[in-house]
Amino acid sequence: MEPAAYKDEIVNFIWNTTNLKKKDAEKAVDAMLRFIADVLKQGNEVKLIRFGIFRRIRLVETEKRVFSGEIIKVPEHYTIKFYPSKSLKDYVNKQED
């Protein structure tokens, strides 16, 4: 698996490509991430044009116990799905010359 981009790298990228101070770039990243998390927690989706959509998906599942064969209901919980936009897919798949 390839290396991941970490929050510090995002902060440094914003710091190096804008006129923001590093501390302000970090606050901007924190604010954006908090906003996305809060919107998802409320049950809404986050649409970022030319990037993608974040959605909260409710999961209701059952499991089968291995030894007894008993079927149990797993407590309802949520997961987050990301659906990339066509623009993002095209950009990622674009061949470099």
Side-chain angles (χ1 to χ4, degrees), residues 6-8 12 20 23 25 33 36 38 43 45 49 55 59-60 62 64-65 69-70 72 81 90 93-94:
Y6 295 95
K7 180 182 159 191
D8 287 345
N12 286 331
L20 292 175
K23 205 169 206 176
L33 295 175
I36 291 171
D38 288 347
E45 60 184 32
I49 304 300
R55 280 195 186 124
L59 299 176
V60 179
T62 57
K64 186 175 184 179
R65 299 261 174 156
E70 175 188 9
I72 59 168
K81 297 281 186 177
D90 290 346
N93 289 310
K94 183 179 179 184

Side-chain angles (χ1 to χ4, degrees), residues 5 12 14 19-23 25 38 41 48-49 51 57 59 66 74-75 77 82 89 97:
N12 286 331
I14 292 172
N19 291 328
L20 292 175
K21 295 177 183 173
K22 189 170 184 178
K23 205 169 206 176
D38 288 347
K41 187 173 183 174
L48 301 173
I49 304 300
F51 190 75
I57 308 293
L59 299 176
V66 176
V74 176
H77 58 284
F82 175 71
K89 289 179 193 176
D97 295 328

Side-chain angles (χ1 to χ4, degrees), residues 34-78:
R34 178 62 186 258
F35 175 79
I36 291 171
D38 288 347
V39 169
L40 291 169
K41 187 173 183 174
Q42 295 168 6
N44 299 315
E45 60 184 32
V46 178
K47 293 182 182 181
L48 301 173
I49 304 300
R50 293 187 300 277
F51 190 75
I53 299 172
F54 293 91
R55 280 195 186 124
R56 182 176 89 159
I57 308 293
R58 188 181 77 152
L59 299 176
V60 179
E61 302 173 313
T62 57
E63 288 183 359
K64 186 175 184 179
R65 299 261 174 156
V66 176
F67 296 109
S68 67
E70 175 188 9
I71 305 246
I72 59 168
K73 185 177 178 183
V74 176
E76 181 179 301
H77 58 284
Y78 296 92

